[in-house]
Amino acid sequence: MSDAYGDQPTVLVLDFGAQYAQLIARRVREARVYSEIVPYDITAEEVARRAPAAIILSGGPSSVYAQDAPHMDPRVLDLGIPVLGFCYGIQEMALHLGGQVPRTDVGEYGFAELVVTDPHSELLAGVPHISQCWMSHRDSVSVAPPGFSVIARTPTTAVAAMEDRSRRLYATQFHPEVAHTEYGQHIIRTFLHDIAGIAPAWTMVNIIDETVERVREQVGHDRVICALSGGVDSSVVAALLHRAIGDQLTCVFVDHGLLRLDEAEQVVRTFRDQFHIDLVHVQAQDRYLALLEGITDPEKKRRIIGEEFWRVFFEEAEKLEGVRWLAQGTLYPDVIESGNKTAATIKSHHNLIPFPPGVHFELIEPLKTLFKDEVRAVGSELGLPDEIVHRQPFPGPGLAVRIIGEVTREKLDTLRRADAIIREEIDAWDTSHSVWQYFGVLPDIRSVGVMGDERTYGHPIIIRAVSSADAMTADWARLPDDLLARMSNRIINEVEGINRVVYDITSKPPGTIEWE
Ligand code: XMP
């Protein structure tokens, strides 16, 4: 059984180095089956020890003949465990089992018409004769290995899918995990539920129950400390740990004064008043303002804020007696991206930092097998308010990166009020959460204007609103004119010192989402 979730049947996704492995793991979980990503070269013995209910081979380099192409332990295919290979996975299977994968110079990228050639196929049951699939490969299988039947083709790929029912081996040249493949998720569900016979039983409720159980076993009667920022991850960690160990948990909320309007109050309201968590609210606002005085360089600002955060946090931690564990909201993508090497480091904004000298805690990371959308679902299930569960990404250094130049109490106050108007108006319009992030920026310039009979010399507010899937790239949101007009009017009328409102129409790249 799986290492991670007790009796939960697990699907292992062998990662051949493409960006698709995470997506596959998520699709499997969307089919309500627990999945884990493992390196492609996991040995057959290790697979047998973990006894997964099924295995999926991810995509990878475009060809099994590519230089340094990764190869799996072929004995994994003999374990009698159902295996489904995608893209590079079909080539691996063909290579190891006696099929032919000729080198070609012509690839196939993008949409292709998938034709099911075997109406009795197990894997493609319920897929219509013709549908759309997504291809991304150069070489492909020309002759399926002995024992396999070809079950689909595309105009350029003879073996678009194949299966050997007696050995329970299945593979597709196309990518069922991407949304462009019309019946992709259907195929994944068929494989998991019908072929491998795994019941779709992976739910947020059993994530919570099993995590609670595990945390109790791990910490026993020890005390645990948790840095609460108001963000989704740390909030869910706190709520989950509280469910598991109640009063043994202390949360430290370092209030650096750089949060948005009402956010600090909301953290206190939620965790102290609603959850009755032992919460230390450190009022560090003045300390931060003093440190930031005269600092205009953005990198310097970030560094000061980050370092001070841990200084304040550890000062508080040392005041508490007998704390052995530090809880943090490491997520599954953090674990995968750092190659499972997160031990003894602290997740700090985008970086992992080491403990300061003389400080030692054992880490407890209850979310480290979960994806972000699962973390949100757990949060809702635990009763966290929507404003926290669906909170937009917000930089650790907070409004300091949205104030260009020196950060002062007055500027923070101005930006907070303008930003609250922007959020209120876009929230009301964007009920389906189609805009990824939206906020105000206060630049370090002033311009002339006129209000009533008087000339003004005030700051502008920049509205930034972007659509994005992952913050790696982004486009400016096409907000309706009347919404922009309403925000502009309200900001000018309600926020003193602002005499212009501009809308940032830069995509990323070349811009970034934040201004600093
Ligand atoms: P950029 O500005 O690089 O931002 O396009 C990409 C995403 O990361 C967020 N961001 C940060 N998050 N600490 C954080 O925790 C930071 O210093 C930081 N800077 C940017 C940003 O809001 C966006 O979602």
Side-chain angles (χ1 to χ4, degrees):
M1 281 301 146
S2 152
D3 287 332
Y5 275 93
D7 294 336
Q8 199 64 236
T10 298
V11 171
L12 294 184
V13 178
L14 268 58
D15 180 0
F16 285 92
Q19 73 275 32
Y20 296 109
Q22 275 198 44
L23 192 54
I24 296 170
R26 290 184 49 181
R27 293 283 177 258
V28 172
R29 293 188 189 189
E30 277 164 26
R32 296 177 55 195
V33 171
Y34 180 66
S35 63
E36 279 183 21
I37 297 173
V38 293
Y40 66 86
D41 56 357
I42 185 170
T43 62
E45 289 75 19
E46 177 62 10
V47 173
R49 188 188 71 72
R50 297 178 65 158
I55 294 168
I56 295 182
L57 314 178
S58 81
S62 57
S63 162
V64 280
Y65 300 113
Q67 231 186 355
D68 303 326
H71 293 295
M72 66 187 292
D73 178 347
R75 296 171 305 147
V76 169
L77 301 171
D78 300 330
L79 294 172
I81 299 167
V83 180
L84 174 59
F86 296 160
C87 192
Y88 184 83
I90 195 174
Q91 299 181 25
E92 269 290 276
M93 231 185 242
L95 188 78
H96 292 304
L97 299 175
Q100 286 177 27
V101 190
R103 292 165 194 247
T104 53
D105 290 328
V106 195
E108 190 181 18
Y109 299 93
F111 283 111
E113 186 182 84
L114 183 72
V115 182
V116 176
T117 51
D118 179 354
H120 305 294
S121 152
E122 233 178 12
L123 183 67
L124 301 181
V127 178
H129 181 54
I130 291 183
S131 65
Q132 240 176 19
C133 70
W134 182 261
M135 289 285 196
S136 175
H137 65 100
R138 196 177 74 220
D139 298 346
S140 62
V141 179
S142 63
V143 179
F148 278 81
S149 48
V150 176
I151 53 177
R153 63 174 160 76
T154 70
T156 47
T157 303
V159 185
M162 62 183 196
E163 66 186 23
D164 179 344
R165 297 190 204 181
S166 60
R167 283 188 286 175
R168 309 177 85 195
L169 303 175
Y170 304 79
T172 66
Q173 181 62 64
F174 56 92
H175 287 274
E177 74 277 24
V178 307
H180 305 297
T181 296
E182 246 180 299
Y183 284 83
Q185 187 64 7
H186 172 89
I187 294 168
I188 292 171
R189 281 199 303 262
T190 303
F191 173 71
L192 298 170
H193 304 157
D194 303 335
I195 295 175
I198 311 170
W202 166 250
T203 66
M204 293 310 127
V205 176
N206 56 51
I207 296 177
I208 294 172
D209 290 349
E210 302 209 15
T211 309
V212 161
E213 217 27 59
R214 199 140 25 112
V215 168
R216 285 186 185 145
E217 261 173 44
Q218 202 176 353
V219 306
H221 297 291
D222 296 332
R223 285 183 77 183
V224 180
I225 190 171
C226 171
L228 196 56
S229 68
V232 183
D233 306 344
S234 68
S235 298
V236 175
V237 167
L240 198 54
L241 284 181
H242 183 65
R243 163 86 56 106
I245 56 168
D247 294 347
Q248 286 162 255
L249 172 72
T250 299
C251 290
V252 176
F253 169 43
V254 177
D255 192 345
H256 53 22
L258 306 169
L259 291 178
R260 292 168 293 190
L261 195 70
D262 285 334
E263 272 184 323
E265 293 75 5
Q266 187 188 38
V267 169
V268 176
R269 235 182 3 250
T270 303
F271 294 97
R272 187 177 284 162
D273 304 343
Q274 182 190 333
F275 281 83
H276 305 291
I277 285 180
D278 177 26
L279 178 71
V280 180
H281 181 187
V282 189
Q283 309 272 0
Q285 297 93 324
D286 293 343
R287 206 165 145 167
Y288 272 90
L289 277 176
L291 283 170
L292 290 170
E293 202 179 315
I295 308 292
T296 55
D297 177 65
E299 277 314 306
K300 235 185 203 163
K301 279 198 237 173
R302 277 172 202 263
R303 207 184 56 240
I304 289 172
I305 295 165
E307 286 172 2
E308 186 62 9
F309 175 83
W310 290 109
R311 196 170 303 128
V312 176
F313 178 79
F314 286 119
E315 264 173 37
E316 290 304 318
E318 279 176 16
K319 289 184 201 160
L320 302 168
E321 300 263 303
V323 177
R324 178 163 162 217
W325 300 87
L326 170 69
Q328 66 176 2
T330 312
L331 305 194
Y332 197 39
D334 304 322
V335 175
I336 302 166
E337 278 151 28
S338 59
N340 289 303
K341 292 190 187 71
T342 56
T345 50
I346 308 159
K347 188 179 158 196
S348 168
H349 310 141
H350 292 309
N351 309 313
L352 296 168
I353 63 161
F355 285 115
V359 173
H360 182 75
F361 293 103
E362 297 195 46
L363 289 182
I364 179 160
E365 301 172 300
L367 309 181
K368 78 173 178 192
T369 56
L370 303 183
F371 288 108
K372 192 83 176 189
D373 46 346
E374 296 173 318
V375 170
R376 291 191 211 277
V378 166
S380 294
E381 188 67 39
L382 289 167
L384 286 173
D386 270 5
E387 304 92 86
I388 289 183
V389 168
H390 293 288
R391 191 176 188 258
Q392 291 178 19
F394 184 65
L399 297 180
V401 300
R402 296 177 180 172
I403 292 174
I404 316 301
E406 188 186 7
V407 176
T408 64
R409 198 182 299 275
E410 294 68 38
K411 284 187 188 171
L412 279 167
D413 192 42
T414 303
L415 178 57
R416 236 181 234 125
R417 288 163 59 206
D419 181 74
I421 294 170
I422 294 167
R423 286 194 293 140
E424 197 181 306
E425 290 293 338
I426 300 184
D427 279 345
W429 170 78
D430 186 29
T431 46
S432 59
H433 303 291
S434 66
V435 187
W436 170 267
Q437 245 176 308
Y438 36 96
F439 52 87
V441 175
L442 180 61
D444 195 21
I445 49 172
R446 292 206 281 173
S447 68
V448 174
V450 56
M451 276 169 117
D453 297 333
E454 276 180 42
R455 285 172 76 77
T456 58
Y457 190 53
H459 288 287
I461 281 286
I462 297 156
I463 300 175
R464 181 69 165 146
V466 296
S467 55
S468 177
D470 52 13
M472 302 293 283
T473 61
D475 195 8
W476 58 280
R478 305 306 197 258
L479 300 182
D481 294 355
D482 56 341
L483 173 62
L484 289 166
R486 217 165 31 245
M487 291 192 284
S488 169
N489 283 339
R490 283 196 56 195
I491 292 170
I492 302 282
N493 289 332
E494 297 174 32
V495 186
E496 212 187 310
I498 301 297
N499 64 351
R500 265 174 218 267
V501 176
V502 302
Y503 188 42
D504 180 357
I505 52 169
T506 320
S507 60
K508 172 184 178 175
T512 49
I513 295 176
E514 303 290 344
W515 268 54
E516 282 202 359

